[in-house]
Amino acid sequence: MTSAQTTGPRRLIVQTAMSVKHWLAPATVLFVSHQLCEVAVPVVVGLVIDRGIVDRDVPQLAVWLAVLVGVFVLLAWSYRAGVYFLVHGIQRAHHALRMRVSERTLDPRGFGDRQRPTGELLGIGGTDVQRVAFGGLLFVHPVAELAAVIAAGAVLISI
């Protein structure tokens, strides 16, 4: 029995993601920050309109415009930094998996279950490994999206 058969595909994806958790954890935090800023934009725009424009209060308008600029700066920076950490984590996981598959391919015992043609081994070393490595996305984006849904719900309830 091969290690893939004993662990299963889901477990392999989890193990792969956990092997680069020091990259995926900051990516998750940064994507959560990005999503929360996305939720904050319409709220802050509403405050700019209500407190600055409708009330004709120039100091309040300046304050809320500055807050809006700050939200957009944090939104953009969070996304760029989150992508940096996410891509590096996925690339490191992808490389580690390719090395494991290469080692198994070059091992005289092969994969243990049956002889495989070279094309199948290349397929496993290419697309299958990439799909498993991209499993890290399953741990980053849903957390950030859930945070956005909760924050948007809280904003709507408070309004």
Side-chain angles (χ1 to χ4, degrees), residues 15-38:
Q15 287 173 344
T16 302
M18 290 300 107
S19 73
V20 290
K21 64 180 173 254
H22 56 282
W23 288 94
L24 295 185
T28 303
V29 170
L30 289 163
F31 277 108
V32 166
S33 171
H34 171 78
Q35 290 291 336
L36 293 178
C37 287
E38 291 279 3

Side-chain angles (χ1 to χ4, degrees), residues 53-75:
I53 296 173
V54 171
D55 293 346
R56 297 178 189 238
D57 188 346
V58 175
Q60 282 291 309
L61 178 64
V63 166
W64 288 109
L65 284 174
V67 170
L68 184 62
V69 168
V71 168
F72 271 106
V73 167
L74 181 59
L75 183 146

Side-chain angles (χ1 to χ4, degrees), residues 70-149:
V71 168
F72 271 106
V73 167
L74 181 59
L75 183 146
W77 179 83
S78 295
Y79 183 79
R80 289 184 55 98
V83 166
Y84 171 83
F85 281 100
L86 181 62
V87 168
H88 276 72
I90 287 173
Q91 290 300 319
R92 288 179 185 270
H94 191 205
H95 177 71
L97 283 171
R98 274 193 319 259
M99 293 298 102
R100 286 176 60 191
V101 169
S102 297
E103 288 171 6
R104 284 303 287 180
T105 303
L106 296 172
D107 190 321
R109 295 172 290 160
F111 282 89
D113 57 349
R114 64 181 169 87
Q115 290 292 343
R116 297 174 192 258
T118 305
E120 186 177 350
L121 296 175
L122 288 173
I124 292 170
T127 57
D128 293 354
V129 166
Q130 185 177 15
R131 286 182 183 152
V132 171
F134 273 89
L137 295 172
L138 299 172
F139 296 92
V140 175
H141 288 295
V143 172
E145 292 160 359
L146 180 63
V149 168

Side-chain angles (χ1 to χ4, degrees), residues 5-20:
Q5 290 170 330
T6 58
T7 59
R10 285 186 185 99
R11 189 166 183 179
L12 181 60
I13 290 171
V14 171
Q15 287 173 344
T16 302
M18 290 300 107
S19 73
V20 290

